[in-house]
């Protein structure tokens, strides 16, 4: 079997900002995500789980004051967070609404659990978020950008970032992640971070003196000095970037799609899209 793990928050943002019509209705983005998941199921997905950020803030906000918050989110978009969770549950899809941790953590935990099941042939983590690159394992756990159709396996992660998946948290600690609100270390851009980490893998194994680096890099002395002076920041940022895989997740068998609940028929009718319910029922019957 193949398992599809979907970043519901990303999908909601994607459909909300996907076109001007999506911002004219208070439920348009929710409808868009539901249609998208139905399309995925019609395309052959059988085991699906969706993680959402029930709130934007998480335990990471207590670790770093600058970490992302819900401030600035369009009220029309914000008002669709909970309705999305309810709609997907009515559709019959397993949903993980996250509060203390983030949707990314749930996806990482679910990917690890699914990959540990010998019956699972491949796990698709459906999000382009670079954080989730750390969950990629060979060709068994891959990232899928549903917007572009791009699939990124372990070789693809190395090609894009210059480091293997296990070094992604260290890479993000050095270069920062503006989407999540932490800056990285001054002077450490993607080229420098990938060159050094390709050799040393993790922050703690990077020699403190550039003279000991077995890497030819312009400005190495300055970069080494910055890392020495901002070592605590680097480790904090790595903690922020490291996804937690200790979250409770359902068993793979529970992710099998078995059809919509009666509540989805009412929702589809309310949206003016009654055929969505019929499509969802047809999927279950064909399975």
């Amino acid at each position: 079997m193949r398992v599809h793990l979907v970043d519901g928050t990303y999908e909601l943002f994607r459909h909300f900002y996907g076109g001007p019509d999506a911002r004219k209705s208070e439920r348009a983005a929710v409808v868009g995500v539901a249609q998208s998941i139905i399309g995925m199921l019609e395309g052959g997905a059988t085991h699906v789980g969706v993680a959402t950020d029930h709130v934007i803030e998480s335990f990471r906000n207590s670790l770093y004051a600058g970490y992302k918050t819900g401030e600035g989110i369009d009220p029309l978009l914000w008002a669709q967070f909970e309705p999305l969770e309810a709609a997907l549950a009515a559709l019959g899809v397993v949903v993980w609404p996250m509060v203390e941790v983030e949707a990314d953590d749930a996806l990482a935990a679910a990917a690890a659990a699914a990959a540990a099941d010998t019956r699972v042939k491949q796990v698709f983590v459906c999000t382009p978020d670079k954080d989730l690159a750390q969950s990629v394992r060979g060709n068994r756990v891959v990232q899928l950008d549903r917007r572009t159709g791009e699939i990124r396996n372990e070789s693809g992660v190395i090609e894009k970032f210059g480091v293997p998946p296990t070094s992604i948290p260290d890479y993000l600690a050095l270069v920062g992640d503006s989407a999540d609100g932490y800056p990285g270390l001054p002077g450490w851009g993607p080229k420098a971070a990938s060159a050094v980490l390709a050799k040393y893998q993790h922050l703690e194994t990077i020699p403190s003196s550039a003279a000991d680096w077995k890497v030819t890099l312009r400005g190495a002395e300055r970069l080494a000095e910055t890392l020495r002076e901002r070592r605590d920041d680097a480790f904090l940022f790595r903690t922020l970037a490291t996804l937690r895989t200790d979250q409770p997740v359902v068993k793979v068998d529970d992710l099998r799609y078995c059809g919509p609940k009666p509540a989805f028929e009412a929702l589809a009718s309310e949206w003016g899209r009654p055929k969505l319910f019929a499509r969802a029922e047809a999927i279950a019957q064909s399975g």
Side-chain angles (χ1 to χ4, degrees):
M1 70 180 78
R2 290 178 171 83
V3 173
H4 289 76
L5 305 171
V6 182
D7 184 343
T9 303
Y10 166 76
E11 291 292 330
L12 190 66
F13 273 76
R14 178 166 78 92
H15 284 85
F16 184 78
Y17 289 107
D21 290 343
R23 296 192 289 279
K24 292 179 180 178
S25 165
E26 62 181 13
R27 290 292 178 268
V30 172
V31 176
V33 176
Q35 289 183 126
S36 178
I37 296 297
I38 289 173
M40 171 186 284
L41 292 164
E42 289 174 330
T46 59
H47 293 70
V48 178
V50 181
T52 62
D53 292 297
H54 190 68
V55 295
I56 297 298
E57 289 77 12
S58 69
F59 77 94
R60 293 178 175 87
N61 292 88
S62 65
L63 299 177
Y64 182 65
Y67 200 73
K68 67 181 178 182
T69 68
E71 184 178 355
I73 293 180
D74 189 307
L76 184 60
L77 172 59
W78 184 248
Q80 296 184 69
F81 273 51
E82 290 189 31
L84 173 66
E85 295 165 356
L88 292 175
L91 175 58
V93 174
V94 172
V95 184
W96 300 298
M98 308 312 292
V99 176
E100 181 185 352
V101 298
E102 299 176 50
D104 286 356
D105 296 296
L107 293 172
D117 190 321
T118 56
R119 298 170 301 163
V120 175
K121 183 176 182 180
Q122 196 169 35
V123 181
F124 294 90
V125 182
C126 304
T127 175
D129 193 331
K130 52 184 170 290
D131 290 0
L132 266 302
Q134 66 192 266
S135 294
V136 172
R137 294 292 180 271
N139 288 310
R140 184 166 178 74
V141 180
V142 299
Q143 272 189 283
L144 168 62
D145 185 336
R146 297 188 61 229
R147 184 180 64 83
T148 64
E150 179 186 1
I151 295 176
R152 186 175 297 148
N153 59 10
E154 187 158 346
S155 296
V157 170
I158 295 172
E159 181 180 351
K160 181 170 179 62
F161 299 103
V163 299
T166 53
S167 295
I168 289 294
D170 304 84
Y171 173 88
L172 292 174
L174 293 175
V175 305
D177 188 341
S178 58
D180 284 341
Y182 57 92
L185 301 190
W188 280 89
K191 184 177 180 180
S194 61
V196 174
L197 289 172
K199 180 66 179 178
Y200 298 108
Q201 287 77 53
H202 301 294
L203 298 176
E204 56 268 37
T205 52
I206 300 174
S208 59
S209 172
D212 296 323
W213 288 5
K214 299 185 187 318
V215 177
T216 301
L217 193 64
R218 184 178 179 181
E221 296 275 0
R222 175 175 51 81
L223 293 172
E225 180 181 2
T226 298
L227 184 55
R228 288 194 303 270
E229 294 176 349
R230 301 283 297 273
R231 185 177 179 83
D232 289 344
D233 286 340
F235 279 97
L236 170 59
F237 297 153
R238 185 174 68 176
T239 296
L240 298 178
T242 301
L243 299 179
R244 287 176 52 178
T245 58
D246 59 347
Q247 303 309 300
V249 294
V250 297
K251 296 179 180 178
V252 168
D253 289 332
D254 296 331
L255 298 179
R256 184 171 186 82
Y257 186 69
C258 297
K261 299 177 181 178
F264 190 69
E265 184 174 18
L267 270 179
S269 178
E270 178 186 321
W271 296 338
R273 306 289 180 85
K275 290 184 178 180
L276 290 180
F277 179 74
R279 288 170 62 187
E281 276 202 319
I283 295 165
Q285 291 170 2
S286 67

